[in-house]
Amino acid sequence: MNETILVVDDEERLVSLVRAYLAQEGFHVVTAHDGREALFAARQAKPDLIILDLMMPEMDGWEFIRLHHKERDTPIILLTARVEETDKVLGLELGADDYITKPFSPRELVARVRAVLRRAQKEPAEADVLRADNLALDRTAHRVTVAGEMVDLTPSEFDLLATLMSTPGRAFSRMELLDRLQGDAYEGYERTVDVHVKNLRAKIEEDPRNPRYIETVYGVGYRFKGA
């Protein structure tokens, strides 16, 4: 296993604990203690995944996500003591892929790391391009285009769109979609799906308020309408 994980938190004891557990699982671990230090570490180490605290001195997690995503599209798991739903939603809206709240089980953290890495790195069994009007999703190249223009999606957004496009007209519940995204069976956070759908619509829909592709099925979840 060669994946590099960047752990960013201003609590040195917690960073040491997380580093020890991840190293035990075979990951290469790089650490930083604030957002500015993390930006430099990310440029140097080019991590496969980032575990990020939101509340830090110098530069908080939200600002780090905004700046880092201008340079690289690295999967991010939020690590935060904040329990307010709005904090988690804001992090997801900015492009984070998952979150875990302190105090946490190291085993759960490792499971979530593996799940997010699988989503980001899995390779399809065969070449497969899904199309709907001017929208195209290439599973082999892991690329999405709208009217021929590349659209940058997070790994979770890509998998969500691929799931919906693979069976147009089928209504998926939020829990079904969450299970497809997480890949492991543990208590999910259904609002995560709503945030990813909101982000997807902003990126692929001409008018996100009147979506052409991803339709809300009230009381159920979402479905892909197709052309």
Side-chain angles (χ1 to χ4, degrees), residues 81-119:
R82 302 291 290 271
V83 297
E84 291 86 346
E85 180 177 300
T86 52
D87 289 337
K88 300 167 185 174
V89 171
L90 178 57
L92 293 168
E93 287 180 336
L94 288 173
D97 293 88
D98 200 359
Y99 76 94
I100 189 167
T101 303
K102 304 174 189 176
F104 58 88
S105 159
R107 290 181 60 188
E108 181 184 5
L109 177 62
V110 171
R112 294 196 182 215
V113 165
R114 293 191 186 283
V116 172
L117 284 172
R118 278 198 299 272
R119 298 203 303 269

Side-chain angles (χ1 to χ4, degrees), residues 6 9 23 30 42 52 65 70 75 82 107 111 130 138 144 151 153 162 166 173 222:
L6 171 60
D9 197 297
V30 178
L52 177 71
I65 294 174
K70 292 179 180 179
R82 302 291 290 271
R107 290 181 60 188
L130 304 175
D138 187 329
V144 172
V151 179
L153 300 183
S166 64
S173 71
Y222 299 97

Side-chain angles (χ1 to χ4, degrees), residues 12-47:
E12 291 190 13
R13 184 176 178 181
L14 184 144
V15 169
S16 296
L17 176 66
V18 172
R19 178 173 52 198
Y21 271 94
L22 291 174
Q24 183 177 327
E25 294 296 320
F27 295 103
H28 174 62
V29 183
V30 178
T31 63
H33 296 90
D34 61 60
R36 294 187 187 280
E37 186 179 336
L39 281 176
F40 177 79
R43 290 174 184 138
Q44 296 297 312
K46 296 180 174 55

Side-chain angles (χ1 to χ4, degrees), residues 163-164 167 170-174 176-177 180 220-223:
T163 297
L164 292 170
T167 51
R170 177 188 166 182
F172 288 87
S173 71
R174 288 173 175 81
E176 281 183 293
L177 292 171
R180 298 288 186 95
V220 180
Y222 299 97
R223 68 176 165 223

